[in-house]
Amino acid sequence: MPYWAELVELFEYKVTDVLEGRVPRGGRRSLTELREELLGAPLEPALLRRVMESDRMFRGQQGGQAPLPHRGRPAPLPHAAWEAPATADSDETRAWEELHTLLWHHRAARTLQELAGHWQRDATLQRLRVLYTVVENAERAVGPGYKPVPVPAANDPLMDLHDPEVNQAIAGALSTLLLTEAGRSQVRTALSEVQAEPFPRHPDEDVLAARLAAAEREPMAPEARERLIVALKAEYPLPRDPRERSVIRVAAREVADQLEPLLDSAPSRTLGAVPHGSVLYAQHPASAMRVPDDGADRLIIHLRGAQAARWRGLELRWQPIGPNWQLQVDGQVTLLRPGLSPADRTQTVALPGTHLRLFVSGAYLMLHIDSQAAVELGRRASLARAVSLLLDSQEQFAYLRLARAAAGLLRGGPLQLDSLGPDSARKYHAATPDVLLAFARKGVDNLSARLGRTAPEQAAGAFQEAAAALGLHPRAAERLHGALHAALHRPEPLPEPRQGERFTLTDEGFLSVQLTDDPLTLEAGPRGVTLRYDYKGELVAVLPGLAPMILHDLLVVRVPDLHLLLVRHGTWLAATVGRDEPVPTLRLAELETGDITAH
């Protein structure tokens, strides 16, 4: 485990050497490597402030400032004040805006493809004809001598809107227009023009309408009036029926009702500000993310800041190749080409059960997981129950020791009882909650992976053998095996998320809540937990008497008499509480049997 406090102190010494004009021990390269390591490390707030202050002084000296006078042992550096994010127009701010626009455009393109397919099933194709006209007029609006084209007639021989490829091409052209703010403005203007005037009026249209109205008022027999109307229409032939305008206007309003929310959801300008803690390996320390957020469905990486990362169980590695970047995701290699047009800078990597979308802007990459939120969060909820079971400290962490023993048997090795006895649990009692949670979660992941490759009967036998060797009742083996099986195969059923700021948790199932910027309070019996975003944009769980804990995707908090389970997928939070049951052991089973016999 890294000694972060000692490394921070070493960094302060090296920076002091540079400020006084000396070459730091190990050379400037060692200082640079240590700096990069600390800026990306999961430091405590106090240590992070010391690193930020030293880094500010170091960058100031690199920019040409005079060295600071200093003699003797360096005094402790003062705590740095909160530093606002960079607001200047930089590569980082431009990439932030473009990446979010590319993600929005990817979703908008899929929505438009679905709408085009739905509108094609309309017999009159009214909405598709409107959509075609909007795209044509929006594209022509930038050219000289622009003249809007009318909405084509239903039986226009030049149109082939029944062809799915034609419809998808129209939807693709519209999505390309939506990439820029100017294109979105042109689309809005074209929509308004179509509603105002679907097709131009005929010069004799008003004359015909007046004569038809006069014919209707003539005192004559119905048959004669009908012959007069037919004669008037023959004298003033019109290319299209004027009554079609009202029908097209209705279709145009329906198209606008579908497109307006899509246009309004386009990312707005951020005025050059990148939120705190939003970019991994960011150039600006204030916007740098400490560790990747496994609870989020997207991650932005500054590719020049490092060469590897781990996110949501995916091993990511990358390296520059000329102006491009080569990215490896769990063994799959893809080439990122920032020089392509914005619409072509989106790629997809197929993963088991989902897809990973890649969006690139210069030296910045956004990864976005396409998954069903309810299923994804249900899997995490089942995983949280299994992790919580391993964190049960009864009988000297019996379930954690049982998991280790079963894992050894599933690997084909013998049981090492000397390293699995009750004395081996001392290190678990001494570990901090975050370290113990990470260890238990890694154990669940490893065991689940082995269970996926093992026959159920063989796995059950391994758990029973391990339980017998540790003096545990077979019910303990069944309970742990069942929890791991659920984490692997049975996502927890979750209700739809609710809105609110205060809820009461029960042990009857998970509660679903939609997170907002406001703090959320969850009452668990006599205790309460508050979830809020800190200044770095991380979701923090605060319980009275405990240090604040960061909730990425999963958090298990154990307090006397109950345990709290929190899982998150984006802004969807699921939470529940539970109470520990006594761990069934062979000793307790013998005592119970003896009591029954005595009576």
Side-chain angles (χ1 to χ4, degrees), residues 159-462:
M159 302 299 299
D160 196 11
L161 298 180
H162 292 282
D163 189 344
E165 293 185 4
V166 174
N167 299 330
Q168 299 303 310
I170 294 173
L174 179 57
S175 66
T176 301
L177 283 168
L178 300 185
L179 257 176
T180 63
E181 190 172 348
R184 294 191 288 272
S185 177
Q186 293 163 16
V187 170
R188 292 181 188 272
T189 302
L191 268 172
S192 300
E193 290 177 347
V194 170
Q195 291 186 64
E197 191 57 76
F199 51 86
R201 299 173 62 84
H202 192 275
D204 297 329
E205 187 172 332
D206 292 335
V207 176
L208 175 61
R211 295 200 172 189
L212 290 176
E216 293 289 345
R217 296 192 297 269
E218 287 291 332
M220 60 178 63
E223 295 82 3
R225 182 181 294 109
E226 185 64 28
R227 289 195 298 270
L228 177 59
I229 291 175
V230 171
L232 288 173
K233 289 183 177 180
E235 183 180 358
Y236 298 94
L238 299 179
R240 297 180 66 169
D241 189 345
R243 293 173 297 183
E244 190 182 358
R245 285 196 184 89
S246 60
V247 178
I248 293 178
R249 287 191 176 107
V250 171
R253 281 195 295 270
E254 293 175 353
V255 172
D257 289 341
Q258 295 287 341
L259 295 187
E260 283 294 341
L262 192 63
L263 295 171
D264 292 338
S265 66
S268 57
R269 297 297 300 272
T270 60
L271 300 179
V274 178
H276 282 282
S278 55
V279 180
L280 188 63
Y281 310 129
Q283 297 184 56
H284 196 275
S287 58
M289 180 183 295
R290 292 198 303 167
V291 293
D293 186 358
D294 287 336
D297 57 2
R298 72 189 70 170
L299 174 68
I300 297 180
I301 303 176
H302 177 218
L303 297 175
R304 291 199 180 98
Q307 292 184 326
R310 180 178 176 83
W311 177 61
R312 293 173 62 103
L314 300 174
E315 293 292 342
L316 309 171
R317 297 184 180 277
W318 59 88
Q319 63 179 355
I321 299 182
N324 305 318
W325 295 89
Q326 179 179 282
L327 175 69
Q328 181 177 345
V329 182
D330 278 359
Q332 300 187 53
V333 179
T334 184
L335 184 65
L336 307 175
R337 303 173 64 184
L340 297 178
S341 64
D344 296 327
R345 282 191 262 124
T346 300
Q347 296 174 252
T348 301
V349 175
L351 298 174
T354 185
H355 290 87
L356 179 66
R357 310 292 180 186
L358 309 176
F359 307 90
V360 63
S361 175
Y364 290 83
L365 171 68
M366 175 189 284
L367 301 99
H368 181 264
I369 289 283
D370 274 350
S371 61
Q372 296 181 356
V375 176
E376 181 74 18
L377 197 60
R379 291 195 184 101
R380 289 180 192 164
S382 298
L383 175 64
R385 290 195 185 278
V387 171
S388 178
L389 190 62
L390 262 62
L391 293 177
D392 188 350
S393 61
Q394 297 182 84
E395 299 293 336
Q396 303 298 320
F397 287 92
Y399 289 110
L400 189 52
R401 294 187 290 117
L402 175 59
R404 291 179 54 203
L409 291 176
L410 291 174
R411 285 195 298 266
L415 280 175
Q416 303 292 337
L417 293 179
D418 53 343
S419 63
L420 296 171
D423 292 340
S424 65
R426 293 177 182 174
K427 56 186 176 182
Y428 306 140
H429 288 288
T432 59
D434 55 339
V435 172
L436 191 58
L437 174 62
F439 182 74
R441 181 169 182 176
K442 184 177 180 180
V444 171
D445 290 339
N446 292 339
L447 263 175
S448 298
R450 291 198 172 276
L451 291 178
R453 302 190 297 266
T454 307
E457 298 79 9
Q458 180 183 353

